[in-house]
Amino acid sequence: MLAKEIADILCAAPLTEWDEKIMNQDYRNVFATDLMSDALAMIQDNEESTVLLTGLCNSQTLRTAEMLDVRFIVFVRGKYLQDIDLEMAKNMDITCLATDLTMYDACGRLYQKGVAGIYG
Amino acid sequence: MDSILQKEYTVVQDDYVNAGKVSSDIKTTLAEIGISPKILRKIAVASYESEINLIIHAYGGKVYLDVSDDGYISLVFKDPGPGIPDLEKALTPGWSTASEKARGMGFGAGMGLPNIQRVSDEFDIESSPQGTTLKLGFRAAV
């Protein structure tokens, strides 16, 4: 599923610049967590097609994505990054969106549309 | 075996603002000498978790990166204490003693050391109240 379709389904707004290249890229896997250690342990493959859903909105979320080579994050529960973290996301080339949906609803909507978890 | 690259870093206790900067530099440095993305990712994950441990559990510490001409990459994390009281438990997935502050930053899932062990080709840890030394090794073609 294209990133822009994921944005539509989740009614998500861009926090970072709307990058057409990323938005037209295919994302087939979702990992949802507020625990970055779990993300570091569980996302072992398919990082280029994995979107991270999280309610943890700070620099460590970005650092975790950086280490994992995950380039697409959707923040749930209406969370927003601070300006300093937005700058960091930009420098790391990570696209960030935000939705007011809860984690449960965001995951449910994507699952219903056929987007798989990290194990496919 | 000769060393082709050496770097040393200092990590400060409770410095959440800069947490991850050392691992980010290690990842960039190793990418510049041509380490493959797959191995780079393993090293970055191990390094980041270990760096976080220095910040949230130890009194800060030092990180030593060494790359040999045969492609062996060594990462050593050395801290001055307070040590890991029960190493066996610390290596058990799900077990954590992280503070509320650390948990608020997304850590303390009890996956740190087990995950570091999983992604490393070599893993050695020694701990006492005087300090912990974690030695990690990775084999990569340079």
Side-chain angles (χ1 to χ4, degrees), chain B residues 2-84:
Chain B
D2 290 321
S3 180
I4 57 167
L5 177 76
Q6 283 184 322
K7 270 192 152 182
E8 181 184 324
Y9 306 88
T10 300
V11 176
V12 179
Q13 180 183 17
D14 287 336
D15 185 5
Y16 292 94
V17 174
N18 291 306
K21 272 192 180 172
V22 167
S23 301
S24 181
D25 188 79
I26 287 172
K27 195 178 183 201
T28 307
T29 301
L30 294 176
E32 282 168 4
I33 61 166
I35 304 298
S36 76
K38 204 170 173 64
I39 293 169
L40 206 53
R41 196 169 169 280
K42 283 170 50 174
I43 296 170
V45 167
S47 174
Y48 182 48
E49 284 283 13
S50 305
E51 180 184 350
I52 292 294
N53 281 344
L54 293 182
I55 293 164
I56 70 177
H57 292 298
Y59 307 133
K62 292 271 189 189
V63 185
Y64 304 92
L65 167 70
D66 189 295
V67 184
S68 297
D69 56 2
D70 65 349
Y72 187 80
I73 297 162
S74 158
L75 271 178
V76 178
F77 298 82
K78 209 171 166 51
D79 70 61
I84 303 168

Side-chain angles (χ1 to χ4, degrees), chain A residues 1-7 12-14 16-27 72 95-97:
Chain A
M1 178 178 288
L2 301 181
K4 62 184 179 188
E5 294 174 303
I6 291 175
T16 50
E17 201 179 326
W18 185 269
D19 183 333
E20 280 299 332
K21 193 175 154 226
I22 292 284
M23 285 313 185
N24 283 293
Q25 205 167 305
D26 194 25
Y27 286 86
F72 186 30
T95 296
C96 299
L97 307 182

